[in-house]
Amino acid sequence: MENKLIDREIEIIKFWRDQKIFEKSLKQTEGSEIFSFYDGPPFATGLPHYGHLVAGLMKDVVPRYQTMKGKYVSRRWGWDCHGLPIENLIEQELGVKDKKEIEADIKKFNQECQNCVLRYASEWRKTVERMGRWVDMDNDYKTMDSWYMESIWWVFKSLWEKKLIYQGYKSMHICPRCGTTLSNFEVTQNYKDITDLSAIAKFELVDEPGTYILAWTTTPWTLPGNVALAVGPRIDYVKVEFEGKKYILAKANVEQIFEGREFKIVSAVKAKDLESKKYKPLFDYFVSADLENKAEPSGSAANDAEAKASATRGSGDGWQNIYTIQLADFVTVEDGTGVVHIAPGFGEDDMNLGKEKNLPMIKHVDPTGRFTSEVRDFAGEPVKPKEDTQAMDVKIVEYLDKKGLIFAQEKFNHSYPLCWRCDTPLLNYATSSWFVRVTEIKKDLIKNNEKINWVPPHLKEGRFGRWLEEAKDWAISRSRYWGAPLPVWQADDGEQICVGSVEELERLSGRRVEDLHKHVVDEIIINKDGKEYKRIPEVLDCWFESGSMPYAQQHYPFENKDVFKAGFPADFIAEGIDQTRGWFYTLLVLSTALFGKSPYRNVIANGIVLAEDGNKMSKRLKNYPEPDEVMDKYGADALRFYLLSSPVMEGENLNFSESGVKESMQKVVMLLDNVLSFYKLYAGNKESGKFETDNILDRWILSKLNLLVQDVTEAMEAYYLVKAVRPIQEFINELSTWYVRRSRDRFKSGDQNAVATLGYVLLELSKVMAPFTPFVADYVYRGINKASKESVHLDRWPEVQKKLIDEKLLEEMELARQIVEKGLAARAEAGIKVRQPLSSYTTSLAKQLPEDIIQIVKEELNIKKLNFGKDEIDTELTNELKMEGETREIIRQINQLRKESGLTIDDKVIVYYEGLVEIFSKFGAEIKKATLADEIAAGSTEKMKEVEGGKIGIKKI
């Protein structure tokens, strides 16, 4: 059965492709109301995984639905081509060890990147098609196309002209391996728990030899860059005597720091009294260095060796701004000693305090994450090696401990940011970058967010809203190579020209420009007013490129202005919940900066798909089945339904379960397939016309159908996919196990209203299911002889016929099913099978019911009478009742013989019996009708079966 379903899906894909059903769906809605959808571009440097499939599902379901609603929904695929994912891959393949090797031939490096960009494009196309997603992959856009990059330049210059672009020097996170900065939202994407070494260092006061300030640090590698200590102005400090030496720290931390030691508090110390006091540096590497803001020694001693020696000792009146104690509001007593070591080159608070107090800055680590040559004892060594993050901290602490400058040390576990591309530990590093002034438009971002419909809704004020509240200026430049270059040319005197188009660059340079990549535009010189302008070296953050896609995919404003305006803002976008700090964010920032409004109206954010054990999916551990394998085993519809009905569509994590996909196949696809087969058995080739029915089961299933259409439509209009999908499985179950099962006798008797009703229900159900399970929906639709279109995906979404929703009937039928459930439980408790008729059952669930509802309950419970009162079942069996039960068993066995013989309802048979004379004499007509027998006769035939003390058999005529 499973293979049949898979083969059928493959055949349907071929049918869609050969008959151009997707193209026809677009053609027939041309000129209609536009439903605008933006598709975020993935990288094609790896194979698609479940995260891509989930996002792709959302991007397929909503456009399919809107198309069936009569709207025109363009679906254009895009590829994210630039950035570190490709660069890292090429570096590994070429064996590149550092940036100098790349810079020796940037053109070659970029060409290698370009060649690998679409390495897995064919695999992507195969998976996307197999999943049943409809999207135009032939007319795709690529962020590396020059026309796309030109629109990015337009975005940049537009912000430049609005004075929302600036170059600044800030404390930022850098990846030492990639050699570039990361934006604040990139930093948040890859925190992992690691073990590091913390230490309490001893800083000896210059004017009180033997007295030490205790400062706690979790980054001992920053200690060579120390220039100051910070104390809190509102914190109480004390001087403690221990083993003949005195230590100063926050009063609140004494017991914890000196736990297990015999100590004595000597005196209270005010923070104000500590301010400006000098201490001896732990390292003397930079005592004689020429540092900005490090005041020169006064008088004739300016160049005197003794002055510098006194600075080394921390004495004298020279070098006044280094190795001093400063007041700072950010100091707390929550951790450590209430004293913070300050290294302005390696922390935001440190850098801000450095600016406020005019402190010097020591850059003892280079951008590759290694100690500079000045750090003599550790020169060239990595400060945070990927393979052992605490290795250098251990060396630093051991070095200081030998000098008696470590009071305590301790290993600790904490969450630390790693590069989201290469997993290298990031460093907080003072460096220059180009920024978008997000803080200038923060209020507008928050205001625009209020107008967005978020699914799940808590993201609006929660994860996304809080991120906007804390939004900082966005670092958009990267010291890399394969990306859209910043379109800024600079003269030697610092004057800059921002270029916003190819035409403008050609006009300014007098050169023809066909490629905008770094290795090309870096060679272009602009000569203006007697000055020579060269392009600055940085490229743009690839998030700036993807955030520009609403404009760049249309080459706006250079082309397609009307097309862009008609589709902006987008009615709908969808991606993973992590994009609240990625694509969703950058889209909103750029659109707000450019046009003052959000670029999207509705957004669905999915959660993360994990392995079944709750761990991250890992190819190395092989702790999950590959998507293609799952689809080859259970079908794409089953996988789609499983994911769409799961918590992952509500922004929650999903522990992927293959058994869950199997269940969706069985309870949705296969069960519906069985219902269709049943319908075809009785519908034959007869054309089903209009019908009217007053049968209670027909009226009930039509009520349920229209209620389903209503619920699914409301959920889809609210973009709540889970609420739209889950009722479908329940409806299929009720259609099969209640309506069809309860109506079998009507079908066998040739009741055309029953056949027509089921055909109509299946047809409308196929339309409801079309966006979610497109394969089985089309199979069912085309299996109904009155289907009017070539494919269900070319038909319109069903309208709710509210007049057919009979709320009273729905309540009564639900009550009947509850009574049946209780009655069956009572039978089971009494040990009496359902095929054995009973006299009566009394229910307390209702005081009265309509006669046709009572009849359904009686038939389901196989009782002669339904009473109302205290719950009770009459288990007394008369001979008549026993005989009826035996008749039921005989009918069941004969029908089983028909099935085992592979007979259809059109095959004529004779039923033979031996013994059982009384039963066949009294119930022969009933047995003949229930088994579709042409004749019943006493006697024997081949393969007779023993039943109820006699034998039965069948013979095909």
Side-chain angles (χ1 to χ4, degrees):
M1 182 63 177
E2 291 176 18
N3 288 335
K4 186 185 86 172
L5 292 176
I6 310 309
D7 292 343
R8 192 170 75 200
E9 288 188 347
I10 302 301
E11 289 169 7
I12 290 173
I13 289 174
K14 186 176 185 302
F15 165 73
W16 289 341
R17 191 192 307 126
D18 292 347
Q19 302 305 315
K20 299 187 181 301
I21 303 299
F22 174 39
E23 291 82 353
K24 288 176 181 177
S25 73
L26 293 171
K27 185 71 176 174
Q28 73 179 22
T29 52
E30 272 184 352
S32 302
E33 179 185 348
I34 290 174
F35 181 86
S36 178
F37 157 65
Y38 295 158
D39 195 353
F43 285 101
T45 50
L47 294 170
H49 52 67
Y50 284 103
H52 295 121
L53 264 58
V54 169
L57 257 180
M58 301 185 295
K59 298 173 187 180
D60 188 51
V61 168
V62 173
R64 281 183 180 275
Y65 167 77
Q66 294 293 342
T67 299
M68 292 183 74
K69 293 284 283 185
K71 295 177 183 177
Y72 180 76
V73 190
S74 176
R75 279 154 272 184
R76 187 181 189 188
W77 186 269
W79 294 109
D80 213 342
C81 303
H82 288 146
L84 285 168
I86 291 96
E87 290 199 38
N88 289 347
L89 186 64
I90 296 304
E91 285 181 27
Q92 292 170 17
E93 291 181 359
L94 297 181
V96 172
K97 296 182 177 62
D98 56 44
K99 294 173 73 172
K100 290 179 182 178
E101 293 183 40
I102 299 173
E103 289 168 359
D105 194 344
I106 295 174
K107 180 180 179 181
K108 178 187 176 184
F109 181 78
N110 278 356
Q111 285 175 339
E112 291 287 345
C113 289
Q114 184 173 356
N115 292 338
C116 95
V117 161
L118 299 180
R119 181 174 293 176
Y120 295 104
S122 60
E123 284 84 354
W124 271 85
R125 182 184 286 267
K126 179 184 174 184
T127 300
V128 167
E129 183 180 65
R130 181 65 189 91
M131 194 69 183
R133 183 182 174 192
W134 280 359
V135 59
D136 185 357
M137 299 186 79
D138 295 322
N139 183 34
D140 56 2
Y141 70 84
K142 305 176 187 69
T143 60
M144 68 180 178
D145 291 333
S146 288
W147 57 265
Y148 189 99
M149 294 164 69
E150 184 179 25
S151 290
I152 293 171
W153 278 17
W154 168 80
V155 172
F156 183 91
K157 184 165 185 178
S158 297
L159 270 57
W160 174 284
E161 291 173 342
K162 292 172 179 281
K163 301 192 184 307
L164 291 175
I165 299 285
Y166 71 95
Q167 188 176 18
Y169 192 81
K170 293 189 176 184
S171 181
M172 304 174 62
H173 280 89
I174 67 164
C175 173
R177 197 216 71 83
C178 298
T180 190
T181 56
L182 283 81
S183 61
N184 56 328
F185 54 85
E186 287 179 300
V187 173
T188 65
Q189 292 186 354
N190 194 21
Y191 270 82
K192 290 184 180 175
D193 290 335
I194 65 173
T195 300
D196 269 334
L197 183 67
S198 67
I200 298 176
K202 298 158 61 175
F203 295 83
E204 189 174 12
L205 291 176
V206 170
D207 59 357
E208 291 185 53
T211 298
Y212 297 84
I213 302 285
L214 293 183
W216 179 66
T217 180
T218 58
T219 55
W221 62 267
T222 62
L223 288 172
N226 170 267
V227 300
L229 297 175
V231 296
R234 286 173 291 279
I235 296 175
D236 294 325
Y237 292 87
V238 292
K239 187 180 292 184
V240 176
E241 187 174 336
F242 171 66
E243 293 186 346
K245 296 179 180 177
K246 297 183 177 65
Y247 300 95
I248 295 174
L249 70 161
K251 181 180 179 181
N253 302 95
V254 171
E255 293 294 335
Q256 179 186 347
I257 300 301
F258 284 87
E259 184 180 4
R261 297 179 171 99
E262 292 186 11
F263 65 93
K264 173 182 163 187
I265 295 179
V266 177
S267 62
V269 180
K270 292 183 179 179
K272 188 67 178 171
D273 293 337
L274 293 173
E275 186 179 20
S276 298
K277 277 185 175 290
K278 295 183 70 64
Y279 59 86
K280 294 180 181 180
L282 301 182
F283 297 92
D284 62 0
Y285 304 140
F286 296 93
V287 167
S288 300
D290 184 14
L291 302 173
E292 187 179 353
N293 295 337
K294 176 180 170 186
E296 289 290 327
S298 58
S300 60
N303 295 310
D304 188 79
E306 174 54 31
K308 292 188 177 181
S310 69
T312 304
R313 298 191 300 270
S315 61
D317 59 358
W319 310 98
Q320 293 159 8
N321 279 359
I322 194 167
Y323 309 133
T324 55
I325 299 174
Q326 304 291 341
L327 299 180
D329 290 329
F330 61 79
V331 180
T332 70
V333 295
E334 289 181 11
D335 296 299
T337 63
V339 181
V340 177
H341 120 75
I342 303 298
F346 304 94
E348 187 173 5
D349 286 338
D350 302 47
M351 187 176 185
N352 291 339
L353 184 66
K355 288 178 180 178
E356 178 190 341
K357 305 294 185 180
N358 216 27
L359 300 173
M361 180 182 292
I362 295 175
K363 296 293 285 291
H364 67 291
V365 177
D366 67 22
T368 69
R370 296 176 181 273
F371 282 125
T372 60
S373 59
E374 291 90 345
V375 186
R376 298 181 300 274
D377 300 284
F378 310 101
E381 294 191 45
V383 301
K384 204 78 176 169
K386 182 177 179 178
E387 56 277 5
D388 184 0
T389 58
Q390 59 179 317
M392 181 48 65
D393 290 333
V394 170
K395 285 187 179 182
I396 292 288
V397 171
E398 286 178 351
Y399 177 88
L400 292 175
D401 198 29
K402 289 176 182 176
K403 293 177 174 287
L405 297 174
I406 293 294
F407 183 82
Q409 57 181 289
E410 182 181 27
K411 289 186 177 182
F412 69 107
N413 293 317
H414 67 141
S415 187
Y416 192 91
L418 308 182
C419 178
W420 66 296
R421 293 306 187 192
C422 67
D423 280 340
T424 298
L426 301 180
L427 303 180
N428 213 312
Y429 197 86
T431 187
S432 62
S433 181
W434 289 80
F435 295 86
V436 174
R437 293 185 195 275
V438 176
T439 49
E440 288 281 317
I441 59 172
K442 184 190 290 189
K443 289 183 180 179
D444 294 327
L445 292 172
I446 294 170
K447 182 180 69 176
N448 288 337
N449 181 42
E450 287 301 314
K451 302 169 187 173
I452 300 170
N453 172 44
W454 282 91
V455 177
H458 64 75
L459 293 176
K460 178 188 291 238
E461 304 296 335
R463 186 182 178 115
F464 194 69
R466 289 194 301 270
W467 182 253
L468 294 182
E469 292 281 355
E470 301 298 323
K472 298 178 181 179
D473 290 349
W474 173 14
I476 57 170
S477 60
R478 300 290 179 267
S479 301
R480 295 301 301 182
Y481 313 97
W482 178 241
L486 264 78
V488 176
W489 272 253
Q490 183 170 301
D492 289 341
D493 62 3
E495 186 175 346
Q496 296 169 334
I497 296 174
C498 181
V499 177
S501 69
V502 170
E503 185 276 330
E504 183 181 3
L505 181 57
E506 290 180 337
R507 177 167 44 81
L508 289 169
S509 67
R511 287 183 53 175
R512 175 92 172 145
V513 181
E514 294 182 345
D515 188 346
L516 296 183
H517 282 99
K518 176 179 171 65
H519 60 277
V520 176
V521 296
D522 280 3
E523 301 297 318
I524 297 176
I525 308 296
I526 295 175
N527 291 290
K528 184 180 180 184
D529 300 330
K531 287 192 285 190
E532 186 177 83
Y533 295 79
K534 295 181 180 179
R535 199 193 72 82
I536 61 172
E538 292 88 353
V539 298
L540 282 163
D541 176 9
C542 60
W543 290 102
F544 193 94
E545 299 182 23
S546 57
S548 300
M549 68 77 61
Y551 331 106
Q553 70 167 341
Q554 301 294 352
H555 194 205
Y556 180 85
F558 308 102
E559 293 182 85
N560 304 313
K561 287 187 178 181
D562 291 341
V563 175
F564 165 70
K565 289 177 181 176
F568 181 83
D571 292 295
F572 166 69
I573 64 170
E575 285 294 344
I577 199 167
D578 57 320
Q579 296 305 320
T580 50
R581 296 177 181 180
W583 191 54
F584 298 152
Y585 175 68
T586 60
L587 281 173
L588 184 63
V589 167
L590 293 182
S591 179
T592 300
L594 290 168
F595 300 108
K597 60 183 178 182
S598 170
Y600 48 86
R601 296 187 177 98
N602 301 280
V603 54
I604 306 177
N606 63 268
I608 299 171
V609 182
L610 302 171
E612 191 163 7
D613 59 5
N615 291 316
K616 186 177 179 180
M617 287 187 168
S618 167
K619 286 187 179 293
R620 180 178 59 83
L621 297 175
K622 296 181 179 179
N623 60 352
Y624 69 96
E626 291 289 347
D628 289 341
E629 294 174 7
V630 172
M631 287 189 282
D632 287 344
K633 193 172 182 181
Y634 305 106
D637 273 340
L639 179 58
R640 287 173 68 112
F641 196 93
Y642 168 70
L643 292 173
L644 285 166
S645 58
S646 76
V648 79
M649 291 294 165
E650 299 174 290
E652 303 295 333
N653 290 348
L654 168 68
N655 293 2
F656 185 85
S657 167
E658 190 173 340
S659 62
V661 181
K662 183 178 181 179
E663 183 178 319
S664 291
M665 178 191 71
Q666 293 170 332
K667 294 187 176 180
V668 177
V669 181
M670 292 177 67
L671 192 56
L672 182 59
D673 201 62
N674 292 340
V675 175
L676 178 65
S677 297
F678 180 83
Y679 166 76
K680 285 181 174 180
L681 195 64
Y682 294 98
N685 295 318
K686 293 184 293 230
E687 193 68 36
S688 298
K690 291 183 178 179
F691 66 96
E692 290 184 9
T693 179
D694 59 358
N695 179 275
I696 190 168
L697 281 168
D698 291 346
R699 286 167 41 225
W700 173 76
I701 197 63
L702 291 172
S703 289
K704 295 292 288 187
L705 173 68
N706 281 278
L707 202 60
L708 176 71
V709 174
Q710 178 176 283
D711 290 346
V712 174
T713 303
E714 287 177 359
M716 286 303 296
E717 290 298 318
Y719 297 86
Y720 217 117
L721 304 190
V722 170
K723 283 187 177 179
V725 173
R726 285 179 180 168
I728 293 173
Q729 181 173 334
E730 181 184 349
F731 180 83
I732 292 172
N733 179 61
E734 291 180 323
L735 176 66
S736 174
T737 61
W738 193 253
Y739 176 77
V740 171
R741 189 174 57 78
R742 291 292 319 128
S743 303
R744 282 185 182 276
D745 288 345
R746 294 173 61 211
F747 280 90
K748 288 179 181 178
S749 66
D751 186 332
Q752 287 307 298
N753 273 342
V755 175
T757 299
L758 181 56
Y760 173 77
V761 169
L762 284 171
L763 189 71
E764 297 303 292
L765 176 60
S766 71
K767 299 174 190 176
V768 173
M769 294 179 68
F772 314 106
T773 51
F775 296 97
V776 71
D778 219 7
Y779 177 73
V780 170
Y781 181 88
R782 292 192 292 136
I784 306 293
N785 53 31
K786 63 179 178 180
S788 59
K789 297 281 186 178
E790 188 178 8
S791 165
V792 69
H793 305 294
L794 299 178
D795 213 329
R796 293 297 294 265
W797 184 257
E799 296 289 334
V800 180
Q801 299 182 59
K802 291 192 175 181
K803 64 180 182 181
L804 294 181
I805 301 177
D806 188 334
E807 296 287 356
K808 186 170 183 292
L809 173 58
L810 290 171
E811 290 175 8
E812 290 170 346
M813 192 67 79
E814 180 58 32
L815 188 57
R817 296 181 73 178
Q818 291 175 12
I819 292 170
V820 168
E821 185 179 355
K822 264 191 122 174
L824 291 175
R827 268 183 170 276
E829 190 175 344
I832 302 173
K833 294 179 180 179
V834 179
R835 63 176 174 269
Q836 172 60 61
L838 294 175
S839 296
S840 67
Y841 173 69
T842 305
T843 179
S844 63
L845 294 178
K847 293 182 178 179
Q848 191 52 263
L849 285 171
E851 189 54 43
D852 45 8
I853 294 288
I854 290 174
Q855 186 60 33
I856 289 173
V857 174
K858 286 163 57 179
E859 290 174 5
E860 276 294 298
L861 290 179
N862 197 9
I863 55 175
K864 302 298 181 181
K865 186 178 181 182
L866 177 65
N867 300 319
F868 301 94
K870 185 179 179 182
D871 290 331
E872 184 181 18
I873 189 166
D874 185 350
T875 58
E876 184 180 345
L877 295 178
T878 63
N879 287 333
E880 182 80 9
L881 289 173
K882 288 180 181 179
M883 196 176 294
E884 282 188 42
E886 291 166 354
T887 301
R888 284 270 187 120
E889 178 60 16
I890 289 169
I891 290 171
R892 190 183 75 81
Q893 292 287 0
I894 294 171
N895 282 330
Q896 182 63 30
L897 284 172
R898 287 188 68 109
K899 185 176 180 180
E900 291 171 0
S901 301
L903 302 179
T904 70
I905 60 171
D906 295 323
D907 291 322
K908 296 180 179 181
V909 298
I910 298 174
V911 172
Y912 291 95
Y913 64 91
E914 289 183 355
L916 308 171
V917 174
E918 187 177 3
I919 290 176
F920 272 88
S921 297
K922 190 165 187 175
F923 298 104
E926 182 181 334
I927 293 171
K928 182 181 176 183
K929 180 180 177 182
T931 59
L932 299 178
D934 208 57
E935 183 184 341
I936 290 182
S940 66
T941 185
E942 294 180 0
K943 298 180 180 178
M944 296 286 281
K945 179 182 279 190
E946 292 186 2
V947 58
E948 301 296 343
K951 292 182 179 180
I952 55 169
I954 61 172
K955 180 181 180 182
K956 183 179 177 182
I957 301 174

